[in-house]
Amino acid sequence: MGSATAKPIQSVERALRILEQFTLSEPKITLSDLAKKTGLKRTTCYGIAETLLKHKYLDYDESTGKYSLGVSNYILGQLYAQSMEIRAIASPYINQLADKYQTAVHLVVPDGYDAVYIDKVGETESFRILSRVGKRAELFAAAISKVVLAYQEESVLDQLLSKPMPRYTVNSITDPFTFRKMLNEVRERKIALDNEELDVGLVCIATPIENNRGDLVAVISVSGISEKMHEQEKAIEKDLLQCAAKIKQTIGDVL
């Protein structure tokens, strides 16, 4: 969690100040006006604006000499809206799973080839799971990350697997060929398993939530201590798949 006493980063605050100047009544602004509105020096304002332009948070119209908001803002807004909607829809189901198995249940959404936690309920008394809303899942080892990677294009996987894979525990999969084979199984079964690959003693089972087009919308996972999870593995898998199917019926083509 962020600290209220943490020192703000000046450059970030200045960039946000620039973005906040754009409104429905004034969607396009010149550099001079941006500098006046924000109280920044023209050279400072120009440098920040050009950085935002490079990352598509701003657009620039050479014919008018004015900046406007870029497409990256829309993408973030869509991700936020989708996250909040799927969270509301999935909430009853993940709470039911947490109550039934008395352990942690997560809901994540894909962001590129990453997985971002948007909800977490339940916890184990004997094993604290170091996950939190807003955190990104550990690539390759986490079950939810495996689900997201299973939906990636082969070209993306080629690039990711061309680099050394991290070893979190002795159970971590670090061989690209073995990992691709595992992803094929995830695509077929709609179930991914983290078998103490991230933390010794911790097992996680995850399943995708798709819309009617077959797109990956979110992932649900159940995590807990290895002994208990292996005892209930088949039951958890069945319940996860049923929850995902029910959520899919609800979201349909909306998401």
Side-chain angles (χ1 to χ4, degrees), residues 166-231:
R167 181 178 291 281
Y168 300 98
T169 73
V170 294
N171 294 321
S172 299
I173 301 173
T174 58
D175 174 59
F177 177 80
T178 303
F179 193 80
R180 281 184 182 272
K181 184 178 179 181
M182 180 273 302
L183 289 183
N184 289 334
E185 294 175 356
V186 173
R187 294 187 192 103
E188 292 176 6
R189 296 188 61 231
K190 304 296 184 183
I191 289 290
L193 177 68
D194 161 14
N195 190 16
E196 301 186 66
E197 297 163 47
L198 186 57
D199 289 300
V200 175
L202 177 68
V203 167
C204 180
I205 305 172
T207 193
I209 299 173
E210 299 176 335
N211 59 20
N212 284 345
R213 299 183 297 277
D215 302 322
L216 179 65
V217 174
V219 184
I220 298 179
S221 71
V222 176
S223 303
I225 56 175
S226 58
E227 294 86 355
K228 184 177 179 181
M229 291 293 290
H230 284 309
E231 288 175 2

Side-chain angles (χ1 to χ4, degrees), residues 143-161:
I144 54 179
S145 177
K146 292 176 182 178
V147 173
V148 173
L149 289 174
Y151 282 76
Q152 299 301 310
E153 297 288 340
E154 288 298 322
S155 58
V156 174
L157 294 177
D158 288 341
Q159 183 178 2
L160 290 173
L161 296 176

